[in-house]
Amino acid sequence: MLALRLTRTARPAVQLRRLLVAAASAGTGFLLLCTLGYALTHADPGASVLRLAWCVPPLAATIHLAVAVARTDPGTRPRPGLAAIGLGPARLMLVSATTTALSCTLGSMLALLVFLHLRGDLNGMPFDGAAADFLAAHAPLPLPAALTLLTLVPATASTTVALALRPKEPGPTGARGVEGRSYRRFGAYGRTVARETFGAYGRFGARLRGAPGKGGTPPEPASEQTSMQTGEPAPTPAAPEEAVEPLDHVTHLPAPRKPPAGLPWGIAILAAGLAVEAYAARAATGALALPSALPTGPAGVLAGWLLTALGLALAAPGLTHLCGRLLQAVRPGAVRLLAGRVLMAEATRIGRPLGVVCAVASAAYAVAPLSAAAATAAVGPLSTLGATVVTGCTVATLLTAAVEAKQARADATAALLRVGAPTTLLRSAAALRAGALLAFFCPLTLIVAELAALPLAAR
């Protein structure tokens, strides 16, 4: 009930993102049902399994979008007071998973209605039975198989959201903690000279007996106590020099964030994907056809494309971090410094969806000339639907990640505005970040696309 209330009372922008998840789930579910219809009319299990394998990219893109939307959902974000009524991080994670399951289930039900309508099982609407021959209208539809395929997207998406948003225990401070910072009693930090004994903070009057200059009040000297008892004026002691508090918390600032560790692995997986694709394209016989059902090219080409996408997704955060460092090189000004630091801080959040977008763009660039050259490689409606789902999900995920990054730095932006930073500075930094990413990743996408298209064009 709580998930339903949060879903109903969300803002229009949040509802739009959830509708995008439902639409992606509907497209993926319809592709899975069409694979079932092909299996009902053809006795070749290998071709059916291959068409089912070609549904993996739309499924992965849908799950990626669902996780990105769940991260930016303000209704399931931890807020003060929610833990007091039993809505801690674990409960909010379950609410996010339930909301994702509801959105994906809505899309799956829509896919089932469209599928039954095109088969001719539902009457009274336009285009009744328009694809009766292709969707095996003469054969009875196995309901358990259809429901299994339809529950694949909601179950996988909600499980992935629960794993991605699960509460994480704070790591131990030490080698992975901030250098040069050690913690004392509650609310204080810096380097401690003498260790405090157990219960020193909570002892009655402990904070009132501190030394001068250390934040405590010095005890009254004996002369003042005597003067209060006898009424005679006591000699005023010489005022000590003002003690200066050590600025350890200023001199030991947190070190800049290290680059993500996936860059070498991403480059290696990217090279492996290009090699697998080249070997599969050379070993296969015939042209890489794109019929009206789904692509029926060699399975090695699909594996190579998936490895290429995985490699770009792993390497893109490190490359985004490198872009931030390059922006700050050679005496940077305020705009370049701000843009570079933001890219370094948000390298993982922005880099991964950006790498997936580059992978999709490179695959489309590599396949487009091949599809135009072959006369029998007519791109049908299902291939167009699959490409639309993958492209739309990747672009929507990138935009959603940008919204998440904007929400994450809202406090820093407000602080800059409070100290008098002009809004043109923030806009210039945002434009510079976008231009740097385009200038770096567009040539990279073209290079990967050309390398992926070489073995296919050589055939």
Side-chain angles (χ1 to χ4, degrees):
M1 292 300 297
L2 178 60
L4 288 175
R5 288 183 179 181
L6 292 176
T7 302
R8 182 175 56 86
T9 59
R11 294 178 298 177
V14 180
Q15 299 287 11
L16 178 61
R17 291 196 291 266
R18 291 171 179 170
L19 288 178
L20 289 177
V21 174
S25 176
T28 305
F30 185 77
L31 291 175
L32 292 171
L33 291 177
C34 290
T35 304
L36 177 62
Y38 179 86
L40 292 176
T41 56
H42 296 78
D44 187 6
S48 301
V49 172
L50 182 59
R51 280 167 169 78
L52 188 62
W54 276 103
C55 295
V56 173
L59 177 62
T62 303
I63 294 173
H64 196 198
L65 176 61
V67 173
V69 170
R71 288 182 182 276
T72 58
D73 194 348
T76 56
R77 189 174 302 163
R79 283 171 290 180
L82 291 182
I85 60 175
L87 292 178
R91 288 287 185 90
L92 291 178
M93 177 265 295
L94 293 178
V95 171
S96 298
T98 305
T99 305
T100 304
L102 290 175
S103 301
C104 294
T105 303
L106 176 62
S108 297
M109 293 298 102
L110 180 62
L112 180 60
L113 290 177
V114 174
F115 180 78
L116 295 178
H117 171 62
L118 293 179
R119 270 173 54 96
D121 297 337
L122 298 179
N123 299 324
M125 297 177 63
F127 305 102
D128 288 336
D133 296 335
F134 177 72
L135 299 179
H138 58 279
L141 181 66
L143 188 60
L147 294 180
T148 301
L149 292 177
L150 288 177
T151 55
L152 183 61
V153 179
T156 309
S158 58
T159 304
T160 307
V161 167
L163 292 176
L165 301 182
R166 68 185 185 278
K168 297 179 178 60
E169 295 293 336
T173 58
R176 300 182 63 180
V178 179
E179 291 186 11
R181 179 180 291 182
S182 57
Y183 292 88
R184 295 185 286 178
R185 60 181 181 268
F186 178 79
Y189 59 92
R191 291 187 181 276
T192 55
V193 179
R195 297 183 60 184
E196 295 178 348
T197 59
F198 179 78
Y201 180 77
R203 191 177 300 126
F204 179 78
R207 298 189 66 185
L208 301 180
R209 295 193 293 270
K214 295 296 183 180
T217 304
E220 294 181 358
S223 58
E224 293 186 12
Q225 297 179 2
T226 306
S227 64
M228 292 176 62
Q229 295 175 1
T230 60
E232 298 180 358
T236 305
E241 296 182 0
E242 184 178 0
V244 180
E245 185 178 0
L247 298 178
D248 288 337
H249 60 282
V250 177
T251 57
H252 296 84
L253 293 175
R257 187 173 181 177
K258 295 181 180 180
L263 182 59
W265 288 101
I267 294 176
I269 294 176
L270 175 61
L274 293 175
V276 169
E277 183 183 349
Y279 177 79
R282 291 177 182 274
T285 59
L288 180 65
L290 294 174
S292 59
L294 280 176
T296 58
V301 176
L302 174 62
W305 284 348
L306 291 179
L307 286 177
T308 302
L310 179 60
L312 284 174
L314 289 178
L319 297 177
T320 305
H321 192 278
L322 178 60
C323 289
R325 284 192 176 274
L326 292 178
L327 280 178
Q328 302 174 72
V330 191
R331 301 176 64 181
V335 177
R336 284 202 294 148
L337 186 63
L338 181 60
R341 286 305 176 105
V342 170
L343 281 182
M344 291 174 62
E346 299 173 355
T348 302
R349 184 182 289 113
I350 296 295
R352 288 178 180 174
L354 184 59
V356 176
V357 170
C358 292
V360 172
S362 62
Y365 182 86
V367 172
L370 186 66
S371 299
T376 60
V379 178
L382 293 187
S383 299
T384 304
L385 177 61
T388 303
V389 169
V390 172
T391 305
C393 286
T394 52
V395 174
T397 303
L398 180 59
L399 297 178
T400 306
V403 172
E404 181 186 3
K406 184 178 179 181
Q407 294 175 355
R409 64 174 184 271
D411 295 337
T413 303
L416 288 174
L417 293 176
R418 282 196 302 268
V419 300
T423 56
T424 55
L425 175 66
L426 303 178
R427 294 173 183 173
S428 300
L432 185 59
R433 291 196 304 269
L437 293 178
L438 288 176
F440 190 90
F441 280 94
C442 285
L444 177 64
T445 303
L446 292 177
I447 292 173
V448 174
E450 290 291 343
L451 292 176
L454 281 178
L456 298 177
R459 296 170 54 196

